[in-house]
Amino acid sequence: MAAPITLHLEFGGGAELLFEGVKDHQVTLPSQSQPWDMKQLLVWIRANMLKERPELFVQGDTVRPGILVLINDADWELMGELTYELQDRDTVVFISTLHGG
Amino acid sequence: MCQVDEEYSEQLEKRTVPSVSQNCVKCKDGSAVLIIRAGDAFCRCCFKEYFVHKFRAMLGKNRVIFPGEKVLLAVSGGPASSAMLSQVQEGLSRDAPKKLRFIPGILHIDEGGACGQSLEERERSTAQLEAIFRATGYPFHTVPLEQVFELPSSVLEAAASAPQRPDGSYKAAVDQFLQSAKARGSSSPGEGGPDGDPAVREAQVRLSRLETRDAPNGPARLGLGRSEDLGRLLSSVRTLTAKEDMLQTLRHHLMVHTARTHGYSKVMMGDSCSRLAVKLLSNIAQGRGATLATDTGFSDPRYGDVVIIRPMRDYSSKEIAFYNKMFGVPSVFVPGLDTKASDKASIPLLTESFVTKLQTDFPPPSAPSTGPVRSYARSTLKQKKPLPSTPRWCLRGCLRSGSLGRPGRPSAGGAAPRGPAGRGLWSRRGHLLLLPHVSLGCGAPAPPDLRSLLCYSCRLTVKDMSAVDTLPPYIVSEAEHRSHRLRMKQEISEFLLDEEEEDDDDEEAA
Ligand SMILES: [Zn+2]
Ligand SMILES: [Zn+2]
């Protein structure tokens, strides 16, 4: 049984609008038998945080194309993307690059 | 500086994607923090160097900005234009041999009125932006979009373009600039200090006192009742595609006008290559093929005396977002027409979604992230010859010059029969400037039918409008002017020498 973990989530580039305009969120993921990974985090965000238009944030089991993800300030493409195993006090940043000018 | 926690590396072994333990492809030493092209992993330091270098290289390679020239930076507050501003600051403040040497000013067009923002919201984002601008020390202009209703119709006249400087003169101009800077009293080369050449610095100090808002504060700033005009205009445009198109046209005219009023000869826009790829494809989809090259190229000379340049066109939106995040470049999210719209709401949005998916699903092996789109663009741009349906009056370009045609040849246009399209007024290069308008035949001063004057694409946009008289006066009066000329042209056409043969020969030879 893995202990609950606390994460710092940050939304930017307009993605925050899907979260009531709030950029910074401290969230605690409940304990579960498996360690939390990014794929599960997205499911959790969709179920617990997204107030409207979830398709503008998640599509299929991943983020909508055009939304960048940084895990602890590094490109998630370097970290295994959806398979990255989250650690307590990780920072995950989502930046929308869609229609920015 | 280049360190990243490496505690995650073990569980990544099984993946085929590069893992965080990967080293930077450039210095081979620092641990990578991002992948900018498929497979190219950069560490933080090398990424910064790469990003900063690319900006100066882009300007250096193109050599369009002369030392001491006034350049207006169009900053929306979004990531790309904010990154552009930070690169200008970086480039002007360096004591490097490749230092930038122009005189910057900032233009922000407040489009809140078009996007349904309240006055308070607009004031708030404008204040945030102005704080950023003030910190740069550059003069800045905040112009509400509503001001398009006060533009003079001369904005649509292409002023004579700046005298062509021969290629070799760039270096001479740089040398001369350096010498005169020296003469003005800096004793040694390093003397310029962190802020660069004394001449530029002095000019900047002088200019920064001129900080302007182009109208008084508060509601009056929005141009006295002009907000209703803007509201009526936009609500008469029925589709989001046409609205976005209209907005882009108005924005361009306002930029050019502001540049002219304040003596700037260049306007820098922050279009990234991701953005330009979207623009390019949606232009094609909207029938704007004719202005593709100017809409997406590095330098856009269509306005003559004011040249638009796009120094960010080699950056992907990913590079920009990472740079801003890593190096704390401030930007302000200003909602647009399309904020939170579905990706099927308009042609540009649909295209953006397509391009983004394309880039995500098929990252090209070692090309910049818009590889596929770029090669498509290249092949499109290679077709130099205008399509048969080449523009009539395009709101987006081909401005009216003093006379329709070459000076000294009063009828240079020549009214030539053109296949089924019939007679029209053609420029020497074969662009159809005007098409006769049948309903004007009776001689009564009918209100100009804007649609019949416009190019295919602008016509589509105008067709989506319920009331054409909501357009800003400068456009309406230009339309009147054009249909008047056309009528005159028709009346005197039988007395004109017929040049159509010659014109056709020219065209075929070209
Ligand atoms: Zn490196
Ligand atoms: Zn047009």
Side-chain angles (χ1 to χ4, degrees):
Chain A
M1 202 67 177
I5 54 171
T6 301
L7 302 175
H8 177 212
L9 304 183
E10 208 182 302
F11 302 93
E16 68 272 24
L17 294 186
L18 301 168
F19 300 88
E20 298 180 318
V22 181
K23 289 189 165 189
D24 290 283
H25 299 255
Q26 288 288 344
V27 301
T28 302
L29 305 182
S31 85
Q32 58 172 29
S33 51
Q34 300 287 311
W36 283 90
D37 63 18
M38 281 299 292
K39 187 172 173 174
Q40 294 162 335
L41 174 65
L42 292 177
V43 174
W44 186 88
I45 288 176
R46 190 186 169 127
N48 296 279
M49 295 179 73
L50 271 171
K51 305 284 180 211
E52 47 176 335
R53 316 289 303 277
E55 77 281 5
L56 296 183
F57 189 74
V58 277
Q59 284 181 8
D61 61 359
T62 188
V63 288
R64 177 187 183 190
I67 293 182
L68 302 177
V69 186
L70 286 79
I71 302 171
N72 300 323
D73 284 333
D75 193 346
W76 80 328
E77 288 180 42
L78 286 161
M79 319 276 282
E81 302 187 28
L82 292 169
T83 62
Y84 172 77
E85 245 173 54
L86 289 154
Q87 319 286 316
D88 191 34
R89 280 179 301 177
D90 272 350
T91 294
V92 184
V93 180
F94 299 91
I95 304 174
S96 171
T97 63
L98 297 158
H99 17 281
Chain B
M1 192 88 184
C2 291
Q3 297 301 309
V4 161
D5 265 22
E6 295 202 43
E7 57 186 296
Y8 326 108
S9 40
E10 336 107 49
Q11 73 267 20
L12 299 174
E13 298 300 329
K14 52 188 185 291
R15 298 271 306 182
T16 51
V17 296
S19 73
V20 74
S21 56
Q22 196 177 332
N23 279 359
C24 169
V25 294
K26 212 153 169 224
C27 63
K28 318 273 187 238
D29 191 32
S31 53
V33 293
L34 89 158
I35 299 183
I36 49 171
R37 295 172 278 215
D40 276 358
F42 274 61
C43 74
R44 188 184 148 97
C45 310
C46 293
F47 173 59
K48 180 165 190 185
E49 199 174 292
Y50 155 90
F51 196 94
V52 169
H53 172 77
K54 192 146 83 170
F55 189 80
R56 269 197 300 271
M58 173 61 92
L59 292 179
K61 184 177 77 189
N62 288 286
R63 300 193 155 194
V64 293
I65 301 181
F66 281 64
E69 191 170 4
K70 281 180 77 182
V71 178
L72 190 58
L73 316 170
V75 180
S76 68
S81 57
S82 301
M84 176 177 81
L85 176 59
S86 79
Q87 289 312 295
V88 168
Q89 284 181 278
E90 169 90 26
L92 284 167
S93 69
R94 268 170 87 113
D95 265 337
K98 286 213 175 144
K99 215 175 90 64
L100 305 176
R101 296 193 169 81
F102 54 82
I103 300 171
I106 300 170
L107 166 65
H108 171 66
I109 297 182
D110 166 13
E111 298 180 4
C115 312
Q117 282 186 285
S118 71
L119 269 178
E120 293 71 36
E121 288 171 315
R122 295 176 71 175
E123 285 294 329
R124 198 164 47 238
S125 31
T126 307
Q128 273 177 297
L129 278 163
E130 290 187 344
I132 296 173
F133 299 160
R134 207 165 282 123
T136 65
Y138 306 154
F140 59 87
H141 313 272
T142 306
V143 182
L145 183 67
E146 284 82 350
Q147 276 199 9
V148 289
F149 289 95
E150 278 144 29
L151 289 185
S153 54
S154 62
V155 81
L156 289 174
E157 265 163 59
S161 58
Q164 280 296 312
R165 317 201 205 199
D167 275 353
S169 74
Y170 180 80
K171 200 177 174 319
V174 173
D175 291 345
Q176 198 200 349
F177 179 82
L178 288 179
Q179 270 172 11
S180 64
K182 218 179 253 173
R184 249 168 287 179
S186 95
S187 41
S188 66
E191 196 48 1
D195 288 319
D197 291 322
V200 174
R201 202 175 51 218
E202 189 196 309
Q204 280 168 0
V205 168
R206 251 182 298 139
L207 282 167
S208 64
R209 295 197 196 107
L210 295 175
E211 160 188 321
T212 62
R213 274 186 155 187
D214 283 13
N217 260 316
R221 177 168 84 80
L222 307 178
L224 294 163
R226 291 312 194 185
S227 38
E228 288 96 79
D229 289 343
L230 183 66
R232 277 194 303 131
L233 168 60
L234 287 171
S235 59
S236 82
V237 182
R238 283 181 289 249
T239 60
L240 186 56
T241 301
K243 268 197 184 97
E244 283 172 350
D245 192 75
M246 177 63 64
L247 201 55
Q248 201 182 329
T249 302
L250 300 178
R251 187 189 295 139
H252 262 221
H253 293 161
L254 201 50
M255 269 177 355
V256 170
H257 176 72
T258 311
R260 283 187 184 142
T261 323
H262 297 277
Y264 293 93
S265 44
K266 298 276 178 343
V267 175
M268 261 190 196
M269 293 185 70
D271 297 300
S272 65
C273 76
S274 316
R275 195 79 205 129
L276 287 171
V278 172
K279 218 180 197 182
L280 189 133
L281 290 181
S282 59
N283 271 3
I284 294 174
Q286 291 173 76
R288 288 206 180 278
T291 54
L292 268 191
T294 45
D295 268 346
T296 59
F298 171 75
S299 133
D300 177 347
R302 83 183 88 166
Y303 298 106
D305 55 336
V306 174
V307 175
I308 294 176
I309 54 176
R310 303 187 176 89
M312 303 301 284
R313 68 190 297 272
D314 271 3
Y315 295 94
S316 69
S317 50
K318 177 174 180 180
E319 289 169 359
I320 290 169
F322 264 84
Y323 186 86
N324 290 355
K325 171 79 187 143
M326 282 179 185
F327 302 102
V329 175
S331 63
V332 174
F333 180 79
V334 179
L337 280 178
D338 52 14
T339 300
K340 282 206 268 182
S342 130
D343 60 4
K344 291 180 191 63
S346 73
I347 293 177
L349 284 178
L350 191 57
T351 313
E352 176 177 53
S353 148
F354 168 72
V355 168
T356 316
K357 281 187 186 120
L358 197 66
Q359 287 176 16
T360 311
D361 296 345
F362 306 99
S366 65
S369 54
T370 46
V373 176
R374 281 234 189 126
S375 34
Y376 180 53
R378 264 199 299 276
S379 63
T380 315
L381 294 179
K382 265 187 207 143
Q383 307 171 340
K384 280 219 186 83
K385 209 173 171 187
L387 303 167
S389 62
T390 314
R392 310 181 202 185
W393 177 21
C394 183
L395 290 175
R396 209 59 99 50
C398 315
L399 298 182
R400 168 161 62 92
S401 55
S403 71
L404 293 172
R406 241 187 243 167
R409 300 192 59 184
S411 65
R418 262 315 137 128
R423 301 172 74 84
L425 183 55
W426 293 77
S427 78
R428 292 288 303 168
R429 286 216 183 115
H431 291 283
L432 182 49
L433 295 173
L434 287 178
L435 253 195
H437 178 37
V438 274
S439 71
L440 286 175
C442 60
D449 177 358
L450 194 55
R451 271 197 246 167
S452 70
L453 295 169
L454 289 173
C455 86
Y456 171 71
S457 174
C458 294
R459 214 175 339 147
L460 288 185
T461 298
V462 170
K463 214 175 97 190
D464 277 340
M465 294 180 65
S466 56
V468 174
D469 60 354
T470 57
L471 283 165
Y474 72 96
I475 294 181
V476 175
S477 78
E478 177 66 14
E480 275 158 11
H481 180 90
R482 279 175 186 261
S483 55
H484 178 70
R485 274 184 93 95
L486 176 65
R487 213 158 43 227
M488 275 173 41
K489 188 87 198 172
Q490 282 174 320
E491 279 161 18
I492 60 170
S493 63
E494 17 182 325
F495 306 107
L496 293 175
L497 288 178
D498 211 353
E499 284 185 303
E500 67 215 45
E501 309 267 13
E502 200 194 325
D503 267 335
D504 284 349
D505 289 350
D506 278 8
E507 265 248 303
E508 267 136 42

